[in-house]
Amino acid sequence: MSEKADIALIGLAVMGQNLILNMNDHGFTVCAYNRTTEKVDAFLANEAKGTKVVGAKSLEDMVSKLKKPRRVMMLVKAGQAVDDFIEKLVPLLEKGDIIIDGGNSEYHDTERRTKALHEKGLLFIGTGVSGGEDGARYGPSLMPGGDKGAWPHVKDIFQGIAAKANGEPCCDWVGDGGAGHFVKMVHNGIEYGDMQLICEAYDLMRLALKMDHQEMSDVLAEWNKGELDSFLIEITRDILKFKDKDGSYLVEKILDSAGQKGTGKWTAIAALEYGMPVTLIGEAVFARCLSSLKAERVEASKLLSGPIKKPILKDKALFLEDIRQALYASKIVSYAQGFMLLREAAKVHNWDLNYGAIALMWRGGCIIRSVFLGNIKAAFDKNPSLPNLLLDDFFKSAVERCQNSWRDVVSAAVQLGIPTPTFSTALAFYDGYRSPRLPANLIQAQRDYFGAHTYELVNQPGKFIHTNWTGHGGNVSASTYQA
Ligand code: NBP
């Protein structure tokens, strides 16, 4: 081989193979490597046959085939495998070379790796890659962060292969350290939320309105023409009407026990860590946890009864429109909460996040792609320091327009005994967020009563007071700090 390769890609599973073929289509020469090297030969002989892709038998061989500065991207299982490859690559690379991790790595790991490699003169990028198999092959959403010095060296490749929304690449530099993987993590959390919201709408159509599958699919097809237009609504439309070989609907044969690989949970953990009320994603993760207690639920269903009095539902068409509006309003709350988490993490880590650019990165290529993200981009373009999406005129009026339907749906679900955790928590958040006064004054009094934790008075903020509530407690207070 006379001409050197533009980039190496380690990891020939579904994401790696498809990303290589995508890079090849865009004119880049890729050197492919995999821990199990037989997979390199198989890839070259099959999927990559007739392309410019070259293979490597070892990491040394791979590095020798690269242009300088060398660019090495990994798409391997997140965790130890990434650290193991980095350890093996470091002695083979030179100062200024670039290592990219495109897996679903935990952002703290990316922070650590960026710092450690920077000290060795190597530039590290931790990038979110979203869109699954198809995205990787024909245009993913890419969310790179890490050592900014690396960005000019990978920008052409990344923006070349990324999905495009209105001609603009769904990829831009996110920020320092773990910023790219943090944004990808929040993206995945939002994906959990969107999926659960659609599942609740399906449950209401199925149980409250007793609709059949073709009917439900037709409703989603209609919803997909308006403000809910999105990839997840589109695939659910197709899933609902998909028939198995025996002519029955496949979705009803699938065990109602949801799996998860961790990124939703990480988002919920980050929300707790940064003290942000990202309640909808939290509920979506817990809904999956509850679903996985299948055997316990089946037993409980024999013992615990639901409501006896059934509400009188509205006309079917009106209630369907209520469900659509409840879904839309809840979705707005979920994204507002996701951006609240991004904003807080950015403050803590000193990341200079561009929220409009993040919305654009999610606008195409990825699983949460939707028309709605265009509205979010417009909101942040209009006001980059918008404190909360709910305060943007477009979203404020959308939620106000939907709120009667939203309340009717949550009330009906409660009365019918149909669980709608994400519809409900989104509404509770909305009502909490718009409340100038919450009952937390009573929490403060309770804390002070039993633990001398002190409280502040409305008219004397900043001054911490302890009251001897019982007359027999002491006057010594606990120290005041926020965990
Ligand atoms: P997998 O997550 O299944 O990983 C397979 C690759 O990891 C193979 O190359 C395998 O090598 C390598 N690997 C494993 Br497994 N353990 C290893 C170890 N201990 N040391 C070295 N290599 C090891 O593949 P994927 O689904 O293509 O995903 C790749 C990355 O992209 C993951 O981080 C994933 O979370 C992320 N991601 C996946 C998707 C998706 O839709 N699948 C979407 C977005 C992001 P081997 O062939 O020798 O076993």
Side-chain angles (χ1 to χ4, degrees):
M1 179 194 150
S2 50
E3 205 191 320
K4 301 248 177 187
D6 295 299
I7 186 166
L9 202 143
I10 302 174
L12 294 182
V14 59
M15 295 301 284
Q17 288 201 10
N18 282 296
L19 216 61
I20 291 174
L21 296 174
N22 185 354
M23 288 174 180
N24 178 78
D25 285 353
H26 285 85
F28 301 105
T29 305
V30 190
C31 179
Y33 179 74
N34 194 70
R35 174 183 64 167
T36 311
T37 48
E38 296 77 55
K39 289 188 187 169
V40 178
D41 297 328
F43 179 56
L44 293 179
N46 296 289
E47 294 84 356
K49 197 172 174 187
T51 67
K52 291 197 298 174
V53 179
V54 294
K57 295 260 175 263
S58 65
L59 288 175
E60 290 79 358
D61 182 27
M62 180 192 84
V63 167
S64 74
K65 289 179 169 163
L66 293 176
K67 284 180 191 160
K68 293 181 184 179
R70 301 178 185 93
R71 293 169 283 204
V72 178
M73 181 162 186
M74 293 175 282
L75 266 156
V76 298
K77 187 178 166 198
Q80 194 56 44
V82 175
D83 283 318
D84 291 349
F85 270 120
I86 290 176
E87 200 182 315
K88 288 180 191 143
L89 282 168
V90 166
L92 305 176
L93 298 176
E94 288 169 7
K95 278 192 186 339
D97 286 346
I98 297 145
I99 300 179
I100 305 154
D101 170 23
N104 270 336
S105 293
E106 214 272 339
Y107 75 99
H108 289 111
D109 284 341
T110 306
E111 291 272 322
R112 168 177 60 76
R113 289 166 186 152
T114 306
K115 206 160 159 254
L117 288 171
H118 187 84
E119 281 161 13
K120 293 184 193 326
L122 296 171
L123 305 172
F124 186 70
I125 291 182
T127 183
V129 178
S130 178
E133 183 177 353
D134 257 29
R137 180 67 186 86
Y138 300 108
S141 158
L142 296 170
M143 296 151 249
D147 211 320
K148 196 167 184 185
W151 180 229
H153 301 291
V154 301
K155 189 176 174 186
D156 284 356
I157 300 180
F158 272 40
Q159 294 196 334
I161 64 166
K164 308 288 178 301
N166 303 327
E168 289 190 74
C170 297
C171 168
D172 205 348
W173 185 251
V174 176
D176 292 340
H181 273 134
F182 192 88
V183 167
K184 172 63 174 21
M185 179 194 76
V186 174
H187 160 283
N188 282 28
I190 287 176
E191 179 183 308
Y192 273 57
D194 279 358
M195 291 167 76
Q196 176 64 26
L197 286 169
I198 297 172
C199 288
E200 289 172 23
Y202 152 70
D203 230 16
L204 287 165
M205 287 193 269
R206 195 172 64 98
L207 298 174
L209 296 174
K210 314 265 184 268
M211 289 168 64
D212 72 28
H213 288 74
Q214 186 59 52
E215 245 187 316
M216 291 191 280
S217 174
D218 292 345
V219 166
L220 290 199
E222 273 311 303
W223 289 1
N224 203 40
K225 292 178 189 159
E227 53 200 5
L228 285 175
D229 179 349
S230 62
F231 173 70
L232 282 168
I233 293 276
E234 183 186 316
I235 65 164
T236 311
R237 173 198 68 196
D238 297 343
I239 289 168
L240 287 176
K241 66 179 176 195
F242 188 92
K243 287 187 177 164
D244 204 1
K245 290 189 191 78
D246 62 7
S248 63
Y249 290 103
L250 179 59
V251 70
E252 300 311 327
K253 291 184 177 178
I254 296 175
L255 185 72
D256 54 326
S257 175
Q260 44 183 326
K261 285 194 170 165
T263 42
K265 183 176 84 179
W266 293 348
T267 313
I269 292 171
L272 292 173
E273 196 179 321
Y274 295 106
M276 281 296 115
V278 187
T279 60
L280 194 143
I281 296 172
E283 283 293 352
V285 175
F286 287 134
R288 289 196 192 192
C289 299
L290 182 59
S291 81
S292 71
L293 303 177
K294 173 74 175 176
E296 211 174 315
R297 286 190 289 113
V298 170
E299 281 314 303
S301 72
K302 295 173 193 158
L303 301 170
L304 305 175
S305 60
I308 296 158
K309 199 175 117 222
K310 302 278 178 198
I312 299 159
L313 287 185
K314 288 183 188 171
D315 165 81
K316 186 170 161 186
L318 289 178
F319 193 61
L320 271 173
E321 176 57 13
D322 284 347
I323 299 174
R324 191 192 69 78
Q325 294 198 25
L327 175 46
Y328 186 52
S330 304
K331 187 174 161 111
I332 293 172
V333 166
S334 181
Y335 284 67
Q337 293 180 342
F339 278 93
M340 285 167 76
L341 178 57
L342 289 177
R343 194 177 284 286
E344 187 60 22
K347 219 188 286 171
V348 172
H349 293 276
N350 255 327
W351 295 330
D352 184 20
L353 298 186
N354 178 338
Y355 302 102
I358 291 169
L360 176 65
M361 279 180 246
W362 296 346
R363 173 75 186 80
C366 65
I367 305 299
I368 63 170
R369 61 183 180 264
S370 64
V371 162
F372 173 80
L373 278 157
N375 304 127
I376 297 183
K377 181 176 184 320
F380 283 115
D381 283 352
K382 202 165 62 181
N383 179 7
S385 52
L386 183 69
N388 193 297
L389 267 188
L390 287 167
L391 303 178
D392 170 73
D393 286 346
F394 177 85
F395 291 108
K396 177 181 173 297
S397 58
V399 169
E400 282 167 356
R401 169 169 50 83
C402 292
Q403 73 165 309
N404 285 343
S405 292
W406 194 10
R407 292 181 193 282
D408 284 351
V409 168
V410 171
S411 310
V414 168
Q415 291 179 55
L416 286 162
I418 299 171
T420 53
T422 52
F423 279 8
S424 309
T425 198
L427 184 53
F429 174 87
Y430 178 68
D431 284 335
Y433 189 69
R434 61 176 196 82
S435 294
R437 186 179 170 103
L438 288 169
N441 50 328
L442 182 53
I443 290 180
Q444 288 300 79
Q446 290 163 334
R447 292 176 70 236
D448 190 54
Y449 186 110
F450 65 69
H453 293 296
T454 74
Y455 56 83
E456 293 162 279
L457 289 171
V458 174
N459 59 2
Q460 286 176 38
K463 184 176 170 199
F464 291 88
I465 298 163
H466 167 57
T467 291
N468 183 350
W469 296 87
T470 58
H472 55 256
N475 289 319
V476 182
S477 60
S479 43
T480 306
Y481 55 86
Q482 287 285 88

